Amino acid sequence: MLTFPHAHRHPAARRPRRRTTAVALTTALLAGALALAPGAAGAPPAEAAAATTPVRVNQLGYLPDGPKRATVVSAAATPLTWQLRDASGAVAVSGRTTVRGTDAASGDATHVADFSAYRTAGSGYVLVVDGRAGAPFDIRADLYDDLRSDAMAFFHHQRSGTPIEASLVGPEYARPAGHLGVAPNLGDTAVPCQAGVCDYVRDVRGGWYDAGDHGKYVVNGGISTWLLVDSFARARRTGGGAALGDSTLRVPERGNGVPDVLDEARWELDFLMRMQVPAGRPYAGMAFHKVHDAAWTGIPTRPELDAQPRELHRPSTAATLNLAATAAQCARVFRRHDAAYANRCLATARTAWAAARANPALYAPDSDSTGGGAYGDSRVTDDFYWAAAELYAATGEPAYREAVTSSPWHTSSDAFTPTGFNWADTAALGRLTLATAPNGLPAADLARVRASVATAADGHLATMAGQGYAVPIPSSGYVWGSNSQVTNNAIVMAVAHELTGRQRYRDGALEAMDYLLGRNTLDLSYVTGHGDTYARNQHHRFWAHQYDATLPNPPAGSLAGGPNSGLQDPVAQERLAGCAPAGCYIDDIGSYSTNEVAINWNAPLAWLAAYAAQRCRR
Ligand code: 9MR
């Protein structure tokens, strides 16, 4: 149980009760922990799966004023009776399920129980259907407060170039600084380029490690930073800024008068700006695509013990536009807290934009994946649109408006794809900024931009309505990091709620959270420390407890990548053959294609948790 330094105060979270899931059993088998799972040796996954309950709820719980739906796996052709029992076992309310039929993504025969009308706060509720109970859960208004801070705290844990102090994270998660030029580290204070790319070294210390690896990638850093800063901007404009203000997070900058979420984002922004090619050099103003190890390191490898040479990879147009977009957003959002920093961000953004315009087709190849992820991106029109939107919102200058309105993405309905925006598809980020940040677009154009958010949200609601588990991605959307596609589409619904005031969009965003926290075919919360049965063996070089008992599990608030029908790692291929898309997940540290953590996955979780936690909203 992950309890330090903040306690999860509500009783349900402290309850030691553990149910055995297919995922947990498989993990125990792989870890050689057979003694912990008596009788499980040799049990095929199908038998193990029978140990899960057919009643699938948000295991954290439900907001009193939010939707409250559960999925029941049953082949019954007629409605079943459900009972909501309170902590004393008394029936608080009961009703009949709706038969939903076969859920395409999971293959499950499903019913839906809807107890949204019940609003009485309490803990230890249990939903019982057909004599079977689901996981216990709470109904309370502060349901998402801990998740808001835990999901944000992930970024502090991932910081490179600074010690992670026990006073902030507890002894289990404390570690020395990584990649500050101290042996055996060979970075990141004077990092050379790959052969033929440059003949000098750069100080690219800081930033966040991307995921379970120690790479630092401008492209993925961009969307992650944008989401954290946007989370704060959203809260501020809707009257909830205080909850994300100063001294709300466990960060070293606590108490400096600047909102902690912005302090955290600045840690990455400073790194992103260090990745810019300096004046006087070839490709000046562009951003190096990434810095990472020359060869893949093993698991575990603590950051401060990484002995691989570090290398800068060729600048790319996509990275440069990620820098332009996030630096321009910095200029807009940081201005009232630190005008000098905002000015520096804006100057960086302008330089990056000009460099990208001068080098519009310097693509990062998919093949460059030795020692780090490729983050290949050969379509950058979306990144141009995103950066132009941010520069326009920051400056109001006609040249940037022209770049916005002449972009094919400005009118395309594809800015919001059914599977959602992501590190490679960023047009939606520009669209969301134009829809929510004050800017000088003509009224009719602005109305069209805003309407497009609601249209996209309606599309996600339609997708959810056709499913047993109300997931806002289609069956084909269970890709690497699918949980972040769920969060990202939920964000579109949340913004649609803000823009229109229509409750159905908030309901959709909250139901997406239900899926992540246990209302799914695996009866599992994908967020460590949140829910009754949760993922805890995510792929990470330091939080590698599954491989080394002296190392910790991921800290509370870490989101697993989630089901990936592509089965792109050996563990997934071995253990998940034949899985239905939504079931292609295993809580094993070796399954990096289904069970890694990443900054671009935790950032939207943090965004969504802050949205769900906000009591005063409009
Ligand atoms: O999130 C990325 C996913 O979209 C790609 O399909 C996958 C393979 O290229 O890479 C994912 O990103 C990983 C990155 O390459 C390296 N750090 C860990 C990231 C999460 O798995």
Side-chain angles (χ1 to χ4, degrees), residues 6-83:
H6 62 296
H8 288 274
R9 288 167 297 275
H10 54 97
R14 282 202 302 274
R15 184 177 296 107
R17 173 175 175 268
R18 296 276 311 143
R19 289 170 300 116
T20 308
T21 66
V23 179
L25 276 181
T26 312
T27 300
L29 288 166
L30 282 181
L34 296 176
L36 296 177
E47 279 179 44
T52 66
T53 165
V55 182
R56 309 287 161 74
V57 300
N58 179 332
Q59 298 177 7
L60 193 58
Y62 298 87
L63 293 169
D65 68 348
K68 298 174 198 70
R69 296 187 190 104
T71 296
V72 183
V73 179
S74 169
T78 52
L80 302 168
T81 298
W82 57 259
Q83 292 181 330

Side-chain angles (χ1 to χ4, degrees), residues 137-199:
F137 58 86
D138 295 353
I139 297 177
R140 56 190 168 92
D142 63 354
L143 191 73
Y144 288 109
D145 287 17
D146 285 346
L147 183 56
R148 169 174 54 196
S149 58
D150 284 350
M152 294 272 186
F154 175 89
F155 295 88
H156 173 236
H157 283 282
Q158 288 290 98
R159 284 192 193 185
S160 175
T162 188
I164 305 303
E165 304 284 1
S167 59
L168 290 171
V169 299
E172 216 189 345
Y173 292 101
R175 58 174 174 80
H179 301 96
L180 268 189
V182 178
N185 283 169
L186 296 172
D188 286 340
T189 52
V191 179
C193 289
Q194 287 196 307
V197 171
C198 79
D199 57 3

Side-chain angles (χ1 to χ4, degrees), residues 210-211 213 217 373-375 423 480 596 598 601:
D210 188 57
D213 62 322
Y217 313 89
Y375 285 114
W423 61 265
W480 194 317
E596 195 160 348
W601 305 339

